[in-house]
């Protein structure tokens, strides 16, 4: 053993003058191929279906809060991965009309040419309903695109399954109809009539009369909150919970009669167009508009938001159509029209249809790229009209390449290839749902109903951590409180001269601090003193001179 050791030392002796290599860090082994693939799959899923940046939990000291936030992030990650893996089940693709050469334009293709090139069952989805006595008409599709609701200006209301042509109900109200709207499913709908809003069931039987909704001109239904939002000639925006029947809030817009009313499907914010060319954004949590946007030089005639809540298309009396990025409220582009637009609708795949006069123009790729890279679209995608029918409303049918158009002569359904979403989530909206599935989805929707307080410009604020200091949050809370609310917080159940107000002022008297809260409480104390003196004097007059000494000083 000793010889072996000496031999090894002798062999290594000549290399003693070579310096050892210094490494900046310890060597690491290569990532396992399966782990690398899983990490790549999670990154792709987050880029496609993620909800923004992850919540950093390193600086959170509360163990319970840190654990719950980590569990929430894990659920988000699992949901994005499952959504990415489910893409293999999406068998259908959206297809658009393709022009063969530079001289051929898609907007020159007529509806009879489209019907002759597609399947017979698909061609049947394009039809016309001649209703030229009680018009002009307005309409609405259900959220799954299965049923159609028609309303004539002179009182004609009808529902139908438009694919099969089966009539649901038909009633003649005998008074003017200003707007119609389906509620959470095809079992009930709301009609804004001459004076009040009425709710009917599928058979046409009147269920409710909303007396507080007077002279309503526009309606919108928020499906995840079960809220019916209405606005009328008086300019009052009203929210009513259709599951309980209670009115949530009544907000005066103070802008006069509105010209158009629409909702953002991404965050449930209501957009109201006014006579002075502005668009105001409203939430039931605020009595003031969240945003005011000057969109046109004249009255705003039409509004529509895309499904992702990023872009808004507006049309005004100034014969301009503008595309707005409502994430930063900047105009992307604008286009001229021959007449003022009357209605705008945006499909699931981003096709924008606008009606003006007796024609409808369908645009493609209006907001496909980033705002700084977006180019003006030179030609529309499709055209329809020229028959002399004044168009009142356009709306895309969900999950179908179908555009509904209502006019003074009835209703028309035209085909627009590539407009609808080809793949649908049956657990969210099912165009082929059975009665049992409809009942289950209604119960699930009521159990998962969102509160009105959750409506905000940024719906992702729920679940985030408020990093503002406690002192700043306290000041913000006190700034919006009235003196009576402050007293209710300070009040003690004990009675006597040592009241909550005097106790608070006595504790603060030794400090030379005069803030807004103390000033408001001092004003309230003076008001209470004057009120108590007035009540005591009134009691003395009522009791007379003999019993006046028994009058009590009550505030």
């Amino acid at each position: 053993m000793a010889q072996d050791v000496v031999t090894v030392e002798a062999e290594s002796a000549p290399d003693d003058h070579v310096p050892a290599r210094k490494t900046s860090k310890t060597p690491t082994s290569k990532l396992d191929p399966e782990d690398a693939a899983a990490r790549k799959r999670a990154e792709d899923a987050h880029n496609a279906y993620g909800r923004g940046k992850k919540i950093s939990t390193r600086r959170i000291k509360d163990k319970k809060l840190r654990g719950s936030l980590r569990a929430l992030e894990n659920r988000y990650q699992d949901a994005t991965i499952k959504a990415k893996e489910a893409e293999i089940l999406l068998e259908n693709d959206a297809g658009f009309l393709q022009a063969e050469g530079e001289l051929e334009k898609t907007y020159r293709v007529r509806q009879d040419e489209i019907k002759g090139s597609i399947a017979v069952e698909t061609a049947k989805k394009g039809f016309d309903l001649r209703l030229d006595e009680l018009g002009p008409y307005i309409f609405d599709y259900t959220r799954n695109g299965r049923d159609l609701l028609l309303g004539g200006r002179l009182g004609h209301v009808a529902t139908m399954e438009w694919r099969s042509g089966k009539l649901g109900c038909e009633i003649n109200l005998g008074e003017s109809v200003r707007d119609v709207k389906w509620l959470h499913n095809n079992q009930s709908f709301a009609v804004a009539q001459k004076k009040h809003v009425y709710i009917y069931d599928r058979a046409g039987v009147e269920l409710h009369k909303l007396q507080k909704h007077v002279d309503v001109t526009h309606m919108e239904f928020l499906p995840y909150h079960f809220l019916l939002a209405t606005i009328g000639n008086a300019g009052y925006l009203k929210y009513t919970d259709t599951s309980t029947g209670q009115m949530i809030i009544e907000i005066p817009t103070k802008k006069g009669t509105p010209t158009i009313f629409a909702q953002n499907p991404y965050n449930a914010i209501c957009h109201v167009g006014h006579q002075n060319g502005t668009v105001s954004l409203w939430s039931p949590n605020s009595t003031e508009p969240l945003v005011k946007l000057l969109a046109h030089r004249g009255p705003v005639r039409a509004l529509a938001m895309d499904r992702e809540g990023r872009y808004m298309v507006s049309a005004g009396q100034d014969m301009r159509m503008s595309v707005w990025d409502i994430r930063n409220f900047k105009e992307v582009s604008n286009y001229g029209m021959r007449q003022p637009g009357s209605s705008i609708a945006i499909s699931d795949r981003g096709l924008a249809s606008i009606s003006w006069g007796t024609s409808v123009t369908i645009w493609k790729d209006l907001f496909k790229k980033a705002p700084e890279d977006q180019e003006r679209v030179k030609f529309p995608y499709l055209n329809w009209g020229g028959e002399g029918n004044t168009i009142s409303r356009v709306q895309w049918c969900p999950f179908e390449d179908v555009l509904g158009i209502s006019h003074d002569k009835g209703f028309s359904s035209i085909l627009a290839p590539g407009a609808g979403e080809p793949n649908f989530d049956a657990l969210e909206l099912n165009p082929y749902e059975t009665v049992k599935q409809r009942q289950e989805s209604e119960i699930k929707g009521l159990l998962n109903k969102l509160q009105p307080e959750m409506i905000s410009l940024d719906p992702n604020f729920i679940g985030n951590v408020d990093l503002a200091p406690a002192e700043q949050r306290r000041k913000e809370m006190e700034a919006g409180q009235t003196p009576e609310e402050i007293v209710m917080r300070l009040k003690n159940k004990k009675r006597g001269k040592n009241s909550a107000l005097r106790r608070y002022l006595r504790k603060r008297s030794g400090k030379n601090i005069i803030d807004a809260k103390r000033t408001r409480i001092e004003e309230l104390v003076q008001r209470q003193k004057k009120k108590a003196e007035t009540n005591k004097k009134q009691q003395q007059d009522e009791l007379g001179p003999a019993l006046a000494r028994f009058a009590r000083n009550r505030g």
Side-chain angles (χ1 to χ4, degrees), residues 178 193-195 211-218 230-238 250-259 272-275 282:
R178 295 173 176 170
Q193 297 176 205
K194 184 177 180 180
K195 190 173 182 181
Q211 294 186 349
K212 294 183 179 180
H213 297 257
V214 182
D215 202 13
V216 171
T217 57
H218 301 85
T230 64
I231 193 168
N233 289 324
Y236 281 83
L237 176 59
K238 302 177 183 180
E250 180 178 351
I251 307 172
T253 58
K254 302 178 183 178
K255 293 286 186 180
T257 303
T259 56
V272 183
H274 303 286
Q275 298 281 353
W282 296 88

Side-chain angles (χ1 to χ4, degrees), residues 44-107:
D44 295 340
H46 179 74
N47 294 334
Y49 301 98
R51 298 187 177 184
K53 296 182 179 179
K54 298 181 179 180
I55 300 175
S56 178
T57 58
R58 294 182 179 179
R59 298 181 180 180
I60 299 177
K61 298 180 180 179
D62 191 349
K63 293 183 179 180
K64 185 176 180 180
L65 177 60
R66 184 169 63 246
S68 61
L69 289 177
R70 286 178 178 174
L72 182 64
E73 284 297 328
N74 291 333
R75 287 200 296 270
Y76 281 163
Q77 186 177 2
D78 294 341
T80 56
I81 292 175
K82 290 180 180 179
K84 186 67 176 178
E85 292 176 348
E87 288 183 352
I88 194 174
L89 302 176
L90 306 181
E91 300 177 353
N92 301 317
D93 296 327
F96 296 95
L97 292 177
Q98 296 287 341
E100 293 184 355
E102 296 181 357
L103 298 178
E104 186 177 357
K105 305 299 180 183
T106 56
Y107 64 85

Side-chain angles (χ1 to χ4, degrees), residues 147-164:
D147 293 82
L148 174 67
L149 172 63
L150 291 169
R153 181 69 57 84
L154 300 182
H156 178 228
V157 177
T159 64
M160 62 179 296
E161 291 186 10
W162 64 273
R163 290 189 182 90
S164 60

Side-chain angles (χ1 to χ4, degrees), residues 179 181-183 218-222 227-231 238-239 261-264 270-271 393:
D179 199 3
K181 183 64 63 175
W182 285 109
L183 297 185
H218 301 85
M219 296 189 299
E220 285 290 338
F221 183 72
L222 312 182
L227 292 180
L228 179 65
T230 64
I231 193 168
K238 302 177 183 180
Y239 290 87
F261 185 54
Q263 68 156 317
N264 189 338
C270 291
H271 296 225
R393 178 175 294 182

Side-chain angles (χ1 to χ4, degrees), residues 301-353:
R301 293 301 178 191
L303 285 174
M305 278 65 65
D306 70 325
R307 183 175 61 175
E308 297 179 354
R310 299 178 181 178
Y311 294 94
M312 177 183 73
V313 182
S314 63
Q317 192 68 27
D318 56 355
M319 294 189 292
R320 306 293 298 180
M321 181 184 69
S322 300
V323 181
W324 299 85
D325 187 347
I326 53 179
R327 293 169 293 183
N328 51 17
F329 303 102
K330 292 183 179 180
E331 187 179 27
V332 178
S333 60
N334 64 76
Y335 301 84
M337 296 185 297
R338 298 177 182 177
Q339 295 183 24
S342 59
S343 179
I344 298 177
I346 300 177
S347 71
D348 294 335
R349 303 291 295 181
L351 293 185
S353 62

